[in-house]
Amino acid sequence: MTFSGLRSLVLLVLLNNSLSQLEDICLEMSRLNWLDLEGNRIEAVGNVTFGSCNMLTVLVLQRNRISHLYKHAFSPLQKLGELDLSNNKIQRIPEDLFVDLGELLQLNISYNPIVEFQMDHFDNLHKLKSLSIEGIEIGNIQRRMFEPLKNLTHIYFKKFQYCGYAPHVRSCKPNTDGISSLEDLLANIVLRVFVWVVSATTCFGNIFVIAMRSYIRSENKLHAMCIISLCCADGLMGVYLFVIGAFDLKFRGEYNHHAQAWMDSAECQVVGALAMLSTEVSVMLLTYLTLEKYVCIVYPFQYIAPRRGRTVSVLVSIWVLGFTIAFFPLIGKGLFRNFYGTNGVCFPLHSEQPETMGAQVYSIVIFLGLNLVAFLIIVISYGSMFYNIQRTGTRAKEYSNHIKKEVTIAKRFFSIVITDSLCWIPIFVLKILSLMQVEIPGTISSWVVIFILPINSALNPILYTLTTRPFKETILQVWDNYRQRRSLSSIQQSAYTPSFTWLEMWPQQDPPQAEMSCTLGKSHLLPMESTNGT
Ligand SMILES: *[C@@H]1O[C@H](CO)[C@@H](O)[C@H](O)[C@H]1NC(C)=O
Ligand SMILES: *[C@@H]1O[C@H](CO)[C@@H](O)[C@H](O)[C@H]1NC(C)=O
Ligand SMILES: *[C@@H]1O[C@H](CO)[C@@H](O)[C@H](O)[C@H]1NC(C)=O
């Protein structure tokens, strides 16, 4: 193709033709200013293609098939202000491709299968205002790449996470990953408020139960030990949310300046590991408590009350296992890269960055292996306990009493299983979807981390202590004592009796040691319920 006689042409648009070869296109059009070759079949840009185009200011090569670029292909274009190479097949940008483009204001290299960028690719683009690298995975992204671009005001990436590497750029797209935005660690105002509410509830509930349990002398030390353990684990979730809330406050309005440092920081890693520790220990403890209850209700005669040694060793192994699970990814950096720091909330449920093979397998084993098995054990055990109690219950003499009993059991059963399901089913679904390569919006993940994940931690104190019969009885007793004391003290000044006794057995009977833990198990299953029938 020739363009002889077009010496004074300024603008040339050859849209959607089938040009595939270009030989010094400007030779005959030395004043060409604007060249739009969008949607052709150009495969290579060689050393002579734009050899004479030294007046060109806009060059559009969008939607071609360029896979090969000569390293000084654009060097003659001293005045180029806008270069669009998007939607081509460029895999590698030659080292010095942009070195002579000092006047460039806009560069678009989006949607190319580029595998790697060099640190100094953009170094000479002093005037660049807009850089578009959409649709490209930048595995080796570094701050250094964009630092020389002092005048850059707009940058377009594939992922929000990359914005953290160009903190000086005013406008970065995409501007949120659903969890964080350029301004805030927690993008959503509701999340910002609720991170404190949930954190306070969780911390308060668990600390309250720990305090009560150790303040009031407990009859069953072993069970109390399990519950305190559970509260400690659940309390860690409150601590985790508290730290996230605190850093959200700290970074308010300028998160993007700190994003990368925050996600790489030791704080983020440790806090993420704490959340992991909390969920895993909590899950394992709930499973243990459930199994214990199950064995004692379904096989009441074979059941042997746990010895101190066994309970302690089970608790210790649960905690050791929990610590191992949570902190192992921090040790194996090579295998996991940054396991926790893949998003602002430091919990490995949502990641825009591709996970390493190790990290992927690990989170599947934990979230879909361990947790799913634990969840199934809990559901099946409670189901079978419920069935069992119902079956024995039908033999009860008083019918109305029986109905009442069943309703209470059902309520308790459903509240335990439903909170567990509420907490874990969304996480299983999320993990399965991400296994199936479904894109999960970050918004969903952030709500899961702030609302769903802590549900168990916030409600466990209520389910396993505050609504149970022994607890209510203690409260009633304390209240009675208080009232008595008041009426007494009005008569007799010095009437003081130490009144706190933790009634963790049934007042009507004196169970032998072996049955105690079992009645205990039932006491948690049947709040305010009499066991005269057994
Ligand atoms: C372009 O490259 C060819 C060989 O690939 C070479 O012979 C030619 O001299 C080069 N032209 C310019 C202007 O650099
Ligand atoms: C860069 O190119 C892509 C694809 O052609 C387009 O969608 C995008 O809007 C361009 N970016 C800018 C900043 O013009
Ligand atoms: C940025 O742009 C301004 C004018 O827009 C210019 O004066 C300044 O030299 C540029 N900065 C650099 C580092 O080139």
Side-chain angles (χ1 to χ4, degrees), residues 342-481:
T342 49
N343 55 40
V345 292
C346 306
F347 197 81
L349 264 191
H350 171 75
S351 166
E352 280 196 323
Q353 266 125 304
E355 292 172 305
T356 60
M357 197 60 198
Q360 217 166 0
V361 170
Y362 196 69
S363 68
I364 288 169
V365 168
I366 302 289
F367 289 113
L368 281 183
L370 183 65
N371 290 0
L372 189 59
V373 168
F375 175 70
L376 290 179
I377 290 178
I378 291 176
V379 171
I380 293 171
S381 304
Y382 271 109
S384 140
M385 267 187 265
F386 182 49
Y387 173 73
N388 227 274
I389 291 170
Q390 200 185 31
R391 213 188 44 193
T392 48
T394 45
R395 293 188 222 121
K397 286 168 234 153
E398 282 177 55
Y399 188 67
S400 67
N401 203 22
H402 162 62
I403 295 283
K404 215 177 91 194
K405 186 172 170 182
E406 217 152 77
V407 169
T408 359
I409 300 169
K411 271 202 253 171
R412 168 68 35 140
F413 165 72
F414 282 118
S415 52
I416 290 178
V417 170
I418 277 178
T419 44
D420 284 350
S421 326
L422 269 184
C423 176
W424 289 108
I425 287 175
I427 291 170
F428 299 142
V429 171
L430 272 191
K431 271 290 156 192
I432 290 171
L433 285 183
S434 76
L435 256 188
M436 290 157 60
Q437 313 269 317
V438 179
E439 286 270 327
I440 299 154
T443 327
I444 293 182
S445 305
S446 57
W447 286 82
V448 165
V449 169
I450 299 211
F451 282 105
I452 312 257
L453 199 62
I455 284 183
N456 259 341
S457 305
L459 294 187
N460 278 346
I462 297 173
L463 287 177
Y464 287 84
T465 301
L466 302 183
T467 54
T468 54
R469 180 191 167 91
F471 184 83
K472 286 182 180 169
E473 278 172 355
T474 312
I475 293 291
L476 279 181
Q477 205 197 4
V478 168
W479 175 241
D480 275 355
N481 280 332

Side-chain angles (χ1 to χ4, degrees), residues 232-265:
C232 290
D234 289 336
L236 288 180
M237 184 54 83
V239 174
Y240 158 77
L241 290 176
F242 179 83
V243 175
I244 296 294
F247 273 97
D248 171 53
L249 269 190
K250 186 179 167 198
F251 297 147
R252 177 65 31 85
E254 46 175 35
Y255 176 62
N256 201 35
H257 287 276
H258 309 281
Q260 211 44 52
W262 159 242
M263 288 190 271
D264 290 337
S265 71

Side-chain angles (χ1 to χ4, degrees), residues 506-519:
W506 307 98
Q508 293 93 337
Q509 57 192 156
D510 229 356
Q513 188 61 33
E515 272 175 38
M516 198 163 71
S517 166
C518 194
T519 37

